[in-house]
Amino acid sequence: MTLRKQTKCLVLLVLAFFSAAWQSNALSLSVDDAVKHALEGNLNIKQNDIALRTSERKKTFSWNSIAPSVSVNAQISKSLPTAGLLKNEPDYSKDPTVTIGGSISMRLHPSVGTTVKGAALSHEKQQLDYNTAVRTVELNVRETFYGILFEQENITLLEKNLETAKSIYGSNVTKYNKGLLPRLDVLNSQLSYQNAKSNLESAKVTLENDKAVFKQLLGLDLDTDIELEGTLDDILSVGEISIDQISKHSAEVASIEKEIQIANNNLLASRLSAYAPTLSGSYSYNLNRSMSDNSDWMHGGTLSFGVSIPLDGFMPWSSGVQSIANQKDNIESLKLKLENAKLSLKINCQSYMNKIKQLQSAITLRKQSIDYARQSYDLTLDAYNNGKKDILTLQSASDSLLQSKVNLKSEAYSLIKAILELENTIGVPFGTLSKTE
């Protein structure tokens, strides 16, 4: 072996070593692993977590409207001399005075109860929104995960198709050179080979773009190399989904119900604001003395109580009465929205159930189509080798077999998407309805 060949072999070995090392360092992810990474690193979930902490803080200190207001003050004052001061009259403006004081006051209104309850309800609503955000991210992660699996398996089929097209093209060139095949067949096979290569490159670009979106969902660096564990073949064995498994509840319904509770609390707050009295109380205390002598501190305090009774509730045109009317309208609107959401829930559930049944039936037919397409291709290949079929017929049979396999994988992907959408709609944990037989 020459030195040049030895060097070439060494380079190939080094490249193979680093390629294997790179593959071994790739982040391997199952669908559950992907969900776990997303829950820890997704930016949208982090934003919702901040909003949840803010609402919890507001809930914790919602009582602070009745907390007393306390203040302290200190000052030094000095009177200015009076114009036209008489001779020998003492100038008291030279005697500065120091004053120290403090005050405490508070206001009490019945609406404090609605304020506390409103903060608690708002926190509960924010918790629902957070849970919805988490489920939305998980849904997107799972759908994208299976979408990438489909694209990877589709690329595998396209690679096999490319190999077949290349083999047919090479065989036809050999036959043409021996005078056994017309040039037209060579050109047709060359065109099929080039189209197969173009389709494969396009599919690879799409896969890379979708992987980038997937990494963003998971909160991973775009340079991270990932490998997905799983196959769409598992979806093909999903059993029949019974309507009895469905719970008649959803995140949307729960959210609207919470909005109605908040609206009722706001209505009560508006009524209290328009009709309920406000109690107030305050106490102030002051100390002062002159700094020019050793006089005693002078002290004194003031205690006061008051009550304020609003009259807005007795004036139909007042903002208070209008606010009450608006709150009532809002409650009625939310109740209609709730009824519509419940109806939509039933319709969507039935729609997804019908789609799932249709896809499962289609998968059964796709499996049969693959068997028929494979038999057709084998028979066409034998006929072609015996000179009874031309290259276009063989290529058409090969394309039909490939398309049948792609169609089966596509139906499997559509099935898992429909199941995930149904699980998300009814609010059950993901994976509840997709158990295999």
Side-chain angles (χ1 to χ4, degrees):
M1 182 182 293
T2 64
L3 179 61
R4 183 177 180 180
K5 290 183 177 181
Q6 290 177 347
T7 303
K8 184 177 180 180
C9 290
L10 180 60
V11 171
L12 292 175
L13 287 174
V14 171
L15 291 175
F17 172 77
F18 281 106
S19 176
W22 174 260
Q23 292 295 330
S24 64
N25 291 330
L27 180 60
S28 183
L29 296 170
S30 66
V31 64
D32 292 330
D33 294 333
V35 170
K36 182 179 179 181
H37 275 280
L39 296 182
E40 294 174 353
N42 184 268
L43 298 180
N44 188 42
I45 291 180
K46 290 181 178 180
Q47 288 179 328
N48 279 272
D49 185 56
I50 293 174
L52 183 61
R53 293 203 307 267
T54 301
S55 70
E56 184 176 9
R57 187 168 58 250
K58 290 180 179 179
K59 171 190 171 183
T60 302
F61 299 103
S62 58
W63 54 269
N64 60 9
S65 62
I66 62 173
S69 176
V70 181
S71 65
V72 295
N73 60 80
Q75 68 177 18
I76 298 177
S77 61
K78 181 175 182 292
S79 300
L80 297 176
T82 304
L85 189 66
L86 299 177
K87 188 176 181 180
N88 299 324
E89 184 177 350
D91 186 2
Y92 295 103
S93 64
K94 297 180 180 179
D95 302 334
T97 301
V98 59
T99 302
I100 300 175
S103 66
I104 181 171
S105 63
M106 64 181 301
R107 292 168 59 87
L108 182 62
H109 191 274
S111 63
V112 65
T114 60
T115 301
V116 173
K117 185 177 180 181
L121 291 173
S122 295
H123 178 64
E124 293 171 5
K125 176 65 167 58
Q126 188 61 50
Q127 182 69 62
L128 291 175
D129 292 343
Y130 175 80
N131 294 339
T132 299
V134 170
R135 283 186 64 84
T136 300
V137 169
E138 182 174 354
L139 174 65
N140 292 335
V141 168
R142 290 179 180 272
E143 287 186 343
T144 307
F145 181 92
Y146 289 113
I148 292 176
L149 284 184
F150 168 67
E151 292 174 5
Q152 289 178 338
E153 297 192 23
N154 184 44
I155 286 176
T156 300
L157 295 175
L158 291 176
E159 288 174 341
K160 292 180 179 179
N161 183 58
L162 178 62
E163 292 175 2
T164 301
K166 183 179 180 181
S167 177
I168 293 175
Y169 172 59
S171 175
N172 286 346
V173 170
T174 301
K175 290 179 181 179
Y176 171 75
N177 291 334
K178 293 180 180 180
L180 302 176
L181 201 69
R183 179 170 175 75
L184 179 61
D185 286 355
V186 177
L187 293 176
N188 288 331
S189 62
Q190 183 181 16
L191 179 61
S192 297
Y193 170 56
Q194 291 175 341
N195 289 337
K197 181 185 268 188
S198 177
N199 292 337
L200 178 59
E201 292 300 322
S202 177
K204 286 182 176 180
V205 171
T206 300
L207 175 61
E208 290 303 314
N209 292 338
D210 289 343
K211 277 188 173 182
V213 174
F214 187 62
K215 293 173 187 177
Q216 182 184 21
L217 277 173
L218 271 57
L220 298 176
D221 191 277
L222 294 182
D223 294 331
T224 304
D225 189 36
I226 59 174
E227 291 181 355
L228 304 189
E229 299 176 358
T231 173
L232 290 174
D233 291 338
D234 298 336
I235 310 303
L236 301 177
S237 57
V238 172
E240 182 180 357
I241 297 177
S242 173
I243 196 73
D244 296 335
Q245 294 175 275
I246 296 178
S247 171
K248 300 299 183 181
H249 196 60
S250 71
E252 182 181 6
V253 170
S255 179
I256 298 174
E257 289 175 342
K258 190 61 63 178
E259 287 181 24
I260 292 176
Q261 293 181 31
I262 293 174
N264 282 322
N265 186 70
N266 291 339
L267 173 60
L268 178 58
S270 296
R271 285 173 171 166
L272 291 174
S273 177
Y275 298 104
T278 300
L279 300 178
S280 61
S282 65
Y283 176 72
S284 61
Y285 183 77
N286 290 308
L287 289 171
N288 63 81
R289 61 166 290 182
S290 175
M291 298 181 64
S292 63
D293 53 30
N294 294 324
S295 59
D296 294 333
W297 286 92
M298 303 295 292
H299 62 89
T302 302
L303 177 64
S304 64
F305 294 97
V307 59
S308 173
I309 302 177
L311 299 178
D312 285 357
F314 303 99
M315 302 176 183
W317 60 85
S318 66
S319 60
V321 173
Q322 294 304 311
S323 176
I324 293 173
N326 292 338
Q327 292 294 341
K328 289 181 178 180
D329 290 342
N330 184 41
I331 292 173
E332 291 301 316
S333 177
L334 287 173
K335 287 181 178 179
L336 294 175
K337 182 179 178 181
L338 177 61
E339 290 301 315
N340 186 58
K342 290 180 177 179
L343 179 60
S344 296
L345 174 62
K346 295 178 181 179
I347 294 174
N348 291 335
C349 287
Q350 190 59 50
S351 176
Y352 284 125
M353 287 295 299
N354 293 337
K355 185 176 183 179
I356 289 170
K357 290 179 180 179
Q358 180 268 321
L359 288 170
Q360 288 180 322
S361 298
I363 285 174
T364 301
L365 295 176
R366 295 297 186 188
K367 290 179 180 178
Q368 296 175 356
S369 297
I370 291 177
D371 293 335
Y372 298 150
R374 183 178 291 109
Q375 294 176 23
S376 175
Y377 175 76
D378 292 340
L379 292 173
T380 304
L381 180 61
D382 290 339
Y384 174 76
N385 291 332
N386 294 325
K388 297 180 180 180
K389 294 290 183 179
D390 58 21
I391 183 61
L392 292 178
T393 304
L394 178 61
Q395 187 63 50
S396 177
S398 176
D399 292 343
S400 296
L401 177 58
L402 172 65
Q403 191 60 50
S404 297
K405 294 178 179 179
V406 172
N407 289 341
L408 178 62
K409 299 298 183 180
S410 178
E411 299 288 9
Y413 175 50
S414 297
L415 175 61
I416 189 59
K417 281 186 64 177
I419 293 175
L420 289 172
E421 291 288 352
L422 178 58
E423 290 173 335
N424 186 59
T425 299
I426 62 180
V428 299
F430 291 107
T432 302
L433 306 179
S434 58
K435 296 178 180 178
T436 58
E437 295 178 333

